[in-house]
């Protein structure tokens, strides 16, 4: 997957809210100063035409950006941020939309950390507009959406060069890295409202094993050092969701630590927190309902069997209904990690990850 900053920059460019090439041009490239000059002229044109973000961001342009993100191999954070962006515009975008688009959009770009290229390589190969051109040619983008240039997406792309001949960053449609998307929405007894996984296929499509449960990221790192995590385990890190975290922190340290111990390929990692775009491995985040809301993730015990199937897009806790009811009756929400200030107010108003963690509804 790409790092989140790259992912969201490309998402915003496809939405039509930034200038063509802006998301893939390196900061020190000679094209950057020219882009800055074009930004000034563009703002002038937007004022002249009274074109506002709400004229640009529509359900169609959101779905365009979702498909681009999948083709690029974007980070799971895009799911969270895109749902929040949609809600800010009064539009609906759901986990089910992501799942539907992932089913029909191929993974084309071989980016780090699971692949070998970086954004600068894509820039040299033709940039994000060249990928959008490819998707448009294959009927995967709606070219009629308006953009911040005052022209439609198709008009913006018409005069731009396609991908460079011989480039290796973006696979041809006939030979994708994966015929469908790497971002999978998993549902099941462990995540009734959905979880988001990044499965490039290199990790395999199935994982089942005993749970190894930690109530905080720091506890998991301590458990790893103490030798409590073994090959085949499903490592669960909970109470790291929007309310529990609070703020749903990124779990870069756990995946880095697992990689450092040589375990990353042999365990699965499940959390109600989220992953940075730099994480890879068999990982599922954004588990909803979160532990702090008493979701099933709060009721898992060490040794429970967890099954993840990225073909059926399921994530299940293999514990009987009666036993789950017994555990639910005995569960008490732990005290909030913060009790005052802006974070405490955030905890009181934040919606679930499946609803984009928005705080103003």
């Amino acid at each position: 997957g790409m790092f989140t900053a790259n992912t969201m920059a490309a998402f915003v460019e496809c939405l039509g809210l930034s200038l063509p090439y802006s998301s893939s041009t390196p900061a020190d490239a000679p094209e950057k100063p020219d882009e800055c000059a074009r930004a000034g002229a563009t703002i002038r044109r937007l004022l002249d035409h009274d074109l506002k973000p709400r004229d640009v961001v529509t359900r169609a342009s959101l779905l365009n950006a979702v498909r681009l993100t999948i083709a690029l191999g974007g980070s799971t954070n895009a799911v969270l941020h895109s749902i929040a962006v949609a809600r800010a515009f009064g539009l609906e975008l759901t986990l089910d939309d992501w799942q539907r688009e992932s089913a029909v959009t191929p993974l084309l770009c071989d980016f780090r950390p699971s692949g070998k290229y970086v954004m600068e390589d894509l820039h040299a190969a033709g940039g994000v507009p060249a990928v959008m051109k490819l998707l448009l040619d294959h009927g995967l983008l709606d070219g009629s959406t308006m953009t911040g240039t005052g022209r439609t997406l198709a008009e913006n792309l018409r005069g731009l060069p396609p991908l460079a001949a011989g480039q290796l960053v973006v696979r041809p449609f006939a030979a994708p890295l994966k015929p469908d998307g790497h971002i999978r929405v998993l549902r099941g007894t462990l995540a009734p409202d959905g979880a988001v996984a990044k499965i490039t296929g290199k990790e395999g499509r199935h994982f089942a094993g005993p749970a190894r449960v930690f109530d905080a990221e720091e506890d998991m790192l301590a458990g790893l050092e103490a030798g409590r995590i073994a090959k085949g385990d499903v490592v669960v890190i909970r109470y790291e969701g929007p309310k529990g975290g609070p703020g749903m922190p990124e779990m870069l340290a756990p995946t880095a630590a697992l990689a450092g111990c040589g375990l990353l390929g042999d365990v699965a990692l499940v959390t109600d927190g989220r992953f940075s775009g730099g994480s890879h491995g068999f990982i599922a985040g954004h588990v909803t309902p979160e532990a702090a809301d008493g979701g099933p993730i709060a009721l898992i015990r060490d040794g429970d069997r967890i099954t993840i199937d990225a073909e059926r897009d399921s994530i299940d806790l293999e514990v009987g209904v009666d036993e789950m009811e017994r555990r639910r009756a005995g569960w008490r929400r732990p005290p909030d990690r913060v009790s005052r200030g802006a974070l405490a107010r955030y905890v009181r108003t934040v919606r679930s990850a499946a609803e984009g963690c928005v705080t103003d509804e």
Side-chain angles (χ1 to χ4, degrees):
M2 302 156 70
F3 291 102
T4 304
N6 286 336
T7 302
M8 292 316 300
F11 188 95
V12 166
E13 182 177 324
C14 193
L15 265 187
L17 292 176
S18 65
L19 291 175
Y21 296 106
S22 70
S23 65
S24 51
T25 304
D28 57 358
E31 303 93 306
K32 250 326 173 202
D34 171 59
E35 185 188 302
C36 295
R38 280 189 298 135
T42 304
I43 289 168
R44 180 64 209 252
R45 196 158 62 245
L46 291 171
L47 289 168
D48 287 344
H49 291 102
D50 195 30
L51 192 67
K52 300 186 184 71
R54 282 180 187 270
D55 303 317
V56 169
V57 178
T58 60
R59 184 163 157 88
S61 66
L62 283 163
L63 293 177
N64 280 348
V66 166
R67 289 187 206 113
L68 173 71
T69 302
I70 293 165
L72 289 174
S75 123
T76 52
N77 277 322
V79 178
L80 195 66
H81 299 325
S82 64
I83 292 171
V85 166
R87 289 170 96 110
F89 280 93
L91 299 166
E92 189 173 30
L93 186 71
T94 65
L95 290 177
D96 293 331
D97 289 322
W98 272 94
Q99 186 65 339
R100 202 171 46 251
E101 300 308 330
S102 216
V104 297
T105 308
L107 170 60
L108 298 176
C109 297
D110 198 15
F111 279 118
R112 282 186 203 162
S114 55
K116 45 179 174 292
Y117 298 103
V118 295
M119 202 58 157
E120 198 165 343
D121 300 317
L122 177 61
H123 179 64
V128 166
V131 180
M132 283 167 38
K133 215 174 158 82
L134 180 68
L135 295 177
L136 185 67
D137 290 347
H138 283 84
L140 280 181
L141 294 186
D142 176 347
S144 71
T145 58
M146 180 48 67
T147 75
T149 64
R151 295 189 292 273
T152 65
L153 189 73
E155 287 165 349
N156 281 347
L157 296 174
R158 193 164 292 140
L160 301 181
L163 286 160
Q167 63 80 32
L168 300 170
V169 186
V170 186
R171 298 284 184 90
F173 255 73
L177 274 173
K178 191 169 177 281
D180 53 3
H182 61 299
I183 291 180
R184 319 298 301 182
V185 175
L186 311 178
R187 278 200 170 85
T189 54
L190 189 110
D193 295 344
V196 180
K198 183 169 76 176
I199 310 282
T200 60
K202 295 181 183 175
E203 310 85 356
R205 296 291 186 94
H206 306 269
F207 199 106
R212 193 66 62 235
V213 188
F214 302 96
D215 285 351
E217 179 182 4
E218 298 76 16
D219 294 356
M220 177 269 178
L221 295 171
L224 184 62
E225 271 183 35
R228 287 187 51 215
I229 296 172
K231 290 187 176 191
D233 283 351
V234 178
V235 179
V236 177
I237 307 177
R238 65 188 177 190
Y239 295 106
E240 295 287 10
K243 290 179 187 166
M248 218 181 172
E250 288 195 337
M251 306 274 147
L252 188 55
T255 48
L258 287 167
C261 297
L263 278 171
L264 192 58
D266 301 300
V267 297
L269 189 54
V270 174
T271 182
D272 52 5
R274 59 200 174 104
F275 295 104
S276 103
S279 296
H280 62 118
F282 210 106
I283 56 180
H286 307 198
V287 168
T288 50
E290 64 169 296
D293 277 336
I297 191 172
L299 308 177
I300 303 172
R301 292 183 184 165
D302 275 346
D304 287 349
R305 191 171 167 80
I306 292 172
T307 308
I308 304 167
D309 184 333
E311 266 158 8
R312 288 180 40 241
D313 297 312
S314 60
I315 181 164
D316 289 303
L317 178 59
E318 313 275 342
V319 174
V321 177
D322 294 350
E323 172 62 15
M324 285 301 279
E325 282 307 316
R326 253 195 309 282
R327 291 184 191 181
R328 186 165 282 114
W331 178 81
R332 297 289 172 271
R333 179 173 169 174
D336 289 341
R337 288 181 184 167
V338 289
S339 56
R340 301 189 69 84
L343 272 180
R345 195 166 71 225
Y346 171 89
V347 170
R348 285 200 296 274
T349 58
V350 70
R351 301 294 283 264
S352 85
E355 300 170 297
C357 295
V358 293
T359 57
D360 58 352
E361 291 183 9

